[in-house]
Amino acid sequence: MPVAKPLGPTNGDSWGQLPICPGALPVLFYKRARMSTEAAARLTNSAVYQDFFESSPDAVIVTGSVGEILEVNPQAVQLFGYSREELLGQPVELLMPGRFREAHGGHRRAYEAAPRTRAMGVGLQLVGRRRDGGEFPVDIMLSPVNTADGSFVLAVVRDVTDRKRAEEALRQSEQLFRSLVEGVKDYAICKLDTEGRVMSWSAGAARITGYRAEEIVGQHFSRFYVPEDLAVGAPARQLSGASRDGRIELENWRVRKDGSRFWANVIITALSDKSGRLAGFAAIWRDITERKRAQEALVLEVTSVLLSSLDIRKLLSAISSSIRQVKPHDFAALALYDPPAEAMRLQLLEEHDETGLPAQEWVLPVTDSPAGRVFSSREPLMLNGLKAGDLGQDPLNRWVELGVRSLCILPLISEMRPLGVLIVASRAESAFDASDLHLLAQVANQVALTIDNAQAFRQLADLNSRLAGEKRYLEEELKTEYNFDEIVGESQTLKRVLKQVETVAATNATVLIQGETGTGKELVARAIHNLSSRRDRTFVKLNCAAIPTGLLESELFGHEKGAFTGAISQKTGRLELAHEGTLFLDEVGDIPLELQPKLLRALQEKEFERLGSTRTIPVDVRLVAATNRDLDKMIASREFRTDLYYRLKVFPIRVPPLRERVEDIPLLVHYFTQKYAQRMNKRITAIAPEVMAALTRWTWPGNVRELENFIERAVILSRGPALQAPLSELRMPEPETEVAPVASLESAERDHILRVLRDTKGLIAGPNGAAAKLGLKRTTLNFKMRKLGITRKDI
């Protein structure tokens, strides 16, 4: 039975390219072709083949027993460039390059002898030829078809130009990659199977490890790990991590063939097949031992420099110098956490006018900012390729506006406690990489340790200074005139005062003690402190009337060295000394008006600044104030601020004068007599009734202080066991001859204005008003009336 000729040779050769002229073919060929064409038409018109012909994405050609083309589909017409009429009846060699045509007959006869289906992609290098003479690679599937009309061959032809190009590009790429891998001597490159066994080995790997390829291929890559890593299952854990994350990078020790160790930077990347399943791993590592040693030496040097300074100001310069040795940069700053503010305060390590940031402090939030995220997560952050506006309202955006393009932000952690962040900035687009991050992280660790030490040293120094100040203060207090252990008296008036003291002492409320001079206001203040929860802390007092006005602010708030002429050293103020204790401001009415707002702010905000300093110092103080002045009148005369008055008068206590507690006088006389008798080594056991009666009748205008001083003089004068009191001192002075008072200028002015106002019936403005009659402006007259206390009811 005749067998149709296939479209291409079967021995791997390509189709020929010589053109075949239909007129040169034998007449017999055309007759047979016409007969076969009719049979092929019946075949292709059948329902079985119709859809196949029309919808196939590949070219389909039907040939007869002598290789004549009997039918083609539209894709064949489009692929080869001939019309259907031009192809029908022509030998299939028309579509082949002609240089292989002579050998084609033998191939056809071999196929006729053993017809079979030949699939695409069997390794043959086949070439098609278009009408314009152009050649292109093809894949061909041949399938014999036997029918009642005879035997045919179906040829499915596919243009594989794109695939061949891709294969060639891949081959060249693989060849180039192989050349690169073999040419890189500083990197070890190998491929691992899914279990971690070595499948390929580069020349660089052989040089670094000492293993030749034939020694290591097929071995497990764990043989390069140090024993301590093997003990914790590091190889399997790292492969698992690369499989899960796609890629891991790390630095650790590796072992050479001779047993020596080297520090390696390792990258392990997971490889997948076309279906996405794990196919193995690519491992690249390099020997960075020398770099590691240099870094360790540098970090050691940095650590030595940092730990040598505990002064915060000197420390900033040391940190900046150390970072610059490790990584060149443009700006660097520390942002340290301030717990009361719940924010970080940024401090430039060096002053840069071009940054536009203050040299002192800048507040960074701990949320909604890159620095805040690093502080909260404790993970470093690299930002490269920044543009203006990328950081929004964050203060660091100012750096970006000035040209900074890269930021490296690292957490400062000491003993598992976050202290803040270290910020390093550069104008380069991509200034920081993983190795920089690793090295700067080591520096950040040392910076954190140093800052923690410096803060602890500073706190210790502040505590020592505070304790020394308290010691000096208490030593001075031991020398003061009042040192009572208790308040003496049993009168109902005094008991009411003590009940008030007991009530308010348990709170932290501000207390205002009012009373005449010498009534014992300080004793009441001490009693409040001793009964409060602050009893174990310091009771600090300040007599506002005893300090010159110009020095009162320094005495109360303290000052820095050089804050004013004569400030040769730093001074801790009374307010700071009383931290967590009680501050007693005696004669508070004598505080200058210009100093009162600062005191009010310190009481309300619980913070203040020393003179000459911008650093805010938080303070926790319970305030007790005392005065013998009428603060209400001082407010009316604008000598005392209303807001400060009401801030002080949270809980007022009035200490009664001695004349209102006469029944306490005998107790006080006995108390003071024994006190000074013991101090003077005298034994006084009796007080004459007439002496006690005279002491009780006296009104004591100087109150308890006057009584104490009188008893002290009496003890000095006493020669025996009975108190000899100088009662002659208690006689009232002779009244002076009354002299008619001379009216002051102010009272005369007041009387004159009142007379004019009465004449005008209270009218101030207008041509008939008091202002016009006095020759004053209306506003001036109003001011004088307020100053002189003239109101409508006086007119």
Side-chain angles (χ1 to χ4, degrees):
M1 181 190 318
V3 179
K5 178 183 176 181
L7 280 176
T10 59
N11 65 347
D13 207 349
S14 300
W15 291 2
Q17 66 176 5
L18 294 177
I20 299 177
C21 178
L25 294 177
V27 177
L28 178 61
F29 179 85
Y30 287 104
K31 290 180 179 179
R32 296 180 61 185
R34 281 195 296 271
M35 294 172 60
S36 299
T37 299
E38 293 173 357
R42 288 194 296 272
L43 173 66
T44 56
N45 286 332
S46 67
V48 177
Y49 290 101
Q50 186 64 40
D51 289 342
F52 173 75
F53 254 66
E54 297 300 327
S55 62
S56 173
D58 297 316
V60 181
I61 302 172
V62 180
T63 60
S65 59
V66 292
E68 71 276 22
I69 298 174
L70 303 179
E71 189 58 82
V72 294
N73 70 347
Q75 286 74 17
V77 171
Q78 181 180 0
L79 180 61
F80 289 99
Y82 291 96
S83 67
R84 180 174 179 273
E85 290 73 17
E86 290 175 322
L87 290 174
L88 294 181
Q90 297 298 325
V92 75
E93 284 84 358
L94 178 66
L95 306 178
M96 306 177 189
R99 59 183 177 274
F100 305 109
R101 193 168 299 145
E102 293 182 1
H104 192 261
H107 304 323
R108 188 174 62 252
R109 286 191 295 273
Y111 191 83
E112 289 174 353
R116 63 196 179 279
T117 299
R118 192 188 72 188
M120 289 186 179
V122 295
L124 300 178
Q125 301 295 324
L126 305 178
V127 180
R129 177 182 178 277
R130 297 187 180 89
R131 182 178 184 183
D132 60 8
E135 297 182 6
F136 58 98
V138 294
D139 244 356
I140 300 176
M141 181 191 78
L142 297 178
S143 179
V145 179
N146 297 316
T147 68
D149 295 321
S151 298
F152 307 92
V153 175
L154 284 180
V156 180
V157 183
R158 179 176 298 165
D159 184 353
V160 294
T161 302
D162 292 340
R163 193 188 74 191
K164 291 293 184 181
R165 287 174 181 168
E167 289 175 351
E168 177 61 20
L170 180 61
R171 185 189 63 78
Q172 292 180 0
S173 176
E174 289 177 346
Q175 183 177 359
L176 177 61
F177 178 73
R178 189 176 296 107
S179 298
L180 290 174
V181 169
E182 295 303 322
V184 175
K185 304 299 182 184
D186 296 329
Y187 287 82
I189 303 173
C190 69
K191 183 178 179 182
L192 310 176
D193 64 13
T194 57
E195 302 298 324
R197 290 182 291 269
V198 178
M199 300 174 62
S200 65
W201 195 247
S202 70
R207 187 190 67 81
I208 292 174
T209 65
Y211 288 99
R212 300 190 305 276
E214 56 269 24
E215 294 177 301
I216 204 64
V217 171
Q219 300 293 322
H220 199 274
F221 85 120
S222 60
R223 67 163 46 202
F224 308 114
Y225 282 69
V226 295
E228 48 267 37
D229 284 347
L230 292 174
V232 296
R237 189 173 64 248
Q238 291 168 13
L239 289 185
S240 177
S243 177
R244 180 187 64 251
D245 302 331
R247 178 184 183 274
I248 63 168
E249 182 173 357
L250 50 96
E251 291 185 359
N252 51 21
W253 291 108
R254 290 290 186 264
V255 181
R256 296 186 179 91
K257 182 180 179 180
D258 60 8
S260 62
R261 297 187 176 195
F262 65 99
W263 191 260
N265 172 263
V266 182
I267 300 174
I268 301 176
T269 304
L271 304 176
S272 302
D273 58 17
K274 293 181 179 179
S275 63
R277 291 176 298 186
L278 181 67
F281 301 91
I284 302 174
W285 69 87
R286 58 181 174 137
D287 184 351
I288 58 170
T289 305
E290 293 303 319
R291 192 193 77 181
K292 182 70 174 178
R293 288 172 179 165
Q295 289 178 356
E296 289 176 347
L298 181 57
V299 171
L300 183 62
E301 178 184 350
V302 169
T303 302
S304 175
V305 171
L306 294 180
L307 294 180
S308 65
S309 175
L310 292 176
D311 186 301
I312 291 292
R313 294 182 181 88
K314 294 179 180 179
L315 184 60
L316 295 179
S317 178
I319 292 173
S320 177
S321 175
S322 301
I323 297 174
R324 200 168 295 281
Q325 291 184 60
V326 174
K327 178 66 180 179
H329 61 277
D330 294 299
F331 308 128
L334 289 178
L336 301 181
Y337 182 59
D338 181 3
E342 295 185 350
M344 290 183 289
R345 299 189 181 275
L346 182 141
Q347 175 69 57
L348 292 176
L349 298 183
E350 294 178 343
E351 292 189 9
H352 292 279
D353 294 338
E354 67 271 22
T355 62
L357 293 178
Q360 289 80 22
E361 288 183 343
W362 193 281
V363 177
L364 298 179
V366 294
T367 57
D368 299 328
S369 70
R373 290 195 296 273
V374 171
F375 176 79
S376 301
S377 66
R378 305 188 183 188
E379 294 292 334
L381 175 66
M382 284 190 303
L383 298 173
N384 289 319
L386 290 171
K387 300 184 294 298
D390 284 354
L391 302 183
Q393 299 300 317
D394 193 276
L396 295 181
N397 195 56
R398 176 60 178 160
W399 286 1
V400 181
E401 292 173 353
L402 291 168
V404 167
R405 293 294 173 262
S406 301
L407 285 175
C408 187
I409 308 176
L410 305 110
L412 299 175
I413 302 172
S414 178
E415 297 182 352
M416 305 302 292
R417 178 172 60 92
L419 305 177
V421 297
L422 172 65
I423 306 172
V424 185
S426 173
R427 289 191 173 96
E429 283 289 337
S430 298
F432 305 106
D433 56 23
S435 61
D436 296 324
L437 193 66
H438 178 75
L439 188 54
L440 287 172
Q442 296 183 61
V443 175
N445 290 338
Q446 300 304 322
V447 170
L449 177 61
T450 304
I451 290 176
D452 198 20
N453 290 341
Q455 289 179 340
F457 176 80
R458 181 173 179 174
Q459 291 173 357
L460 183 61
D462 289 346
L463 180 60
N464 287 337
S465 175
R466 178 179 169 184
L467 291 176
E470 289 182 0
K471 178 176 179 292
R472 289 193 302 271
Y473 178 79
L474 292 174
E475 287 173 348
E476 293 173 0
E477 284 292 282
L478 292 174
K479 300 174 184 178
T480 59
E481 54 183 342
Y482 287 111
N483 192 29
F484 296 140
D485 293 329
E486 58 182 8
I487 299 173
V488 178
E490 292 183 351
S491 65
Q492 291 299 319
T493 305
L494 181 61
K495 287 181 178 179
R496 281 195 297 271
V497 171
L498 297 181
K499 185 65 177 179
Q500 289 180 297
V501 169
E502 184 180 8
T503 300
V504 76
T507 72
N508 281 319
T510 302
V511 179
L512 177 61
I513 305 172
Q514 294 173 297
E516 297 177 7
T517 300
T519 53
K521 296 187 291 296
E522 182 179 340
L523 291 179
V524 173
R526 287 184 182 275
I528 292 173
H529 173 74
N530 292 335
L531 292 173
S532 73
S533 60
R534 299 170 180 257
R535 67 180 66 88
D536 295 327
R537 304 300 300 178
T538 312
F539 177 85
V540 177
K541 77 168 187 176
L542 176 64
N543 190 321
C544 301
I547 306 296
T549 302
L551 297 179
L552 185 57
E553 182 176 6
S554 171
E555 194 67 31
L556 184 57
F557 298 104
H559 64 251
E560 298 291 344
K561 181 180 179 181
F564 52 84
T565 303
I568 59 175
S569 63
Q570 184 189 77
K571 176 180 176 62
T572 302
R574 301 292 178 95
L575 188 63
E576 192 173 351
L577 276 174
H579 179 59
E580 296 182 348
T582 302
L583 175 64
F584 174 53
L585 294 181
D586 199 5
E587 304 300 346
V588 71
D590 288 290
I591 295 180
L593 192 61
E594 63 272 12
L595 188 56
Q596 293 176 21
K598 187 170 182 179
L599 174 60
L600 178 63
R601 176 182 176 271
L603 296 177
Q604 290 179 337
E605 306 297 332
K606 298 185 182 300
E607 61 183 20
F608 69 96
E609 295 86 29
R610 293 188 186 127
L611 278 174
S613 172
T614 59
R615 185 171 72 91
T616 300
I617 301 174
V619 67
D620 175 18
V621 168
R622 200 265 181 85
L623 179 68
V624 178
T627 183
N628 64 352
R629 303 182 66 179
D630 189 337
L631 296 183
D632 290 310
K633 288 185 177 180
M634 292 182 68
I635 290 172
S637 61
R638 299 187 178 183
E639 297 178 82
F640 204 84
R641 291 177 62 98
T642 305
D643 48 5
L644 177 59
Y645 174 66
Y646 289 117
R647 183 67 182 81
L648 296 175
K649 197 179 178 181
V650 175
F651 193 92
I653 296 177
R654 178 183 174 273
V655 181
L658 192 55
R659 62 182 174 272
E660 294 180 9
R661 41 183 289 224
V662 176
E663 58 267 45
D664 290 334
I665 292 178
L667 295 176
L668 290 168
V669 170
H670 284 288
Y671 178 83
F672 290 135
T673 299
Q674 295 305 314
K675 173 183 174 181
Y676 288 105
Q678 290 178 6
R679 194 175 287 182
M680 300 176 192
N681 294 319
K682 292 186 177 184
R683 187 173 182 271
I684 299 176
T685 58
I687 300 175
E690 62 274 15
V691 172
M692 185 65 74
L695 296 177
T696 304
R697 286 194 304 268
W698 183 246
T699 58
W700 301 108
N703 292 296
V704 178
R705 183 179 295 116
E706 181 188 1
L707 174 61
E708 182 180 7
N709 292 339
F710 182 85
I711 297 300
E712 184 179 5
R713 288 196 301 278
V715 171
I716 293 173
L717 296 172
S718 299
R719 294 284 186 259
L723 182 68
Q724 299 176 2
L727 297 181
S728 59
E729 297 180 11
L730 301 182
R731 295 191 180 97
M732 295 294 293
E734 293 293 332
E736 297 180 1
T737 305
E738 291 188 5
V739 180
V742 179
S744 67
L745 180 61
E746 184 176 279
S747 63
E749 183 181 21
R750 187 177 190 276
D751 292 340
H752 180 57
I753 291 175
L754 279 172
R755 282 197 301 272
V756 174
L757 285 170
R758 287 170 183 147
D759 290 342
T760 61
K761 297 181 180 180
L763 182 63
I764 296 176
N768 297 319
K773 291 182 180 296
L774 291 169
L776 300 173
K777 292 183 179 179
R778 178 180 55 81
T779 55
T780 304
L781 178 56
N782 283 328
F783 173 76
K784 285 181 174 291
M785 289 173 63
R786 287 194 300 272
K787 181 179 178 183
L788 297 172
I790 299 174
T791 62
R792 285 285 180 185
K793 65 181 181 180
D794 297 323
I795 300 173

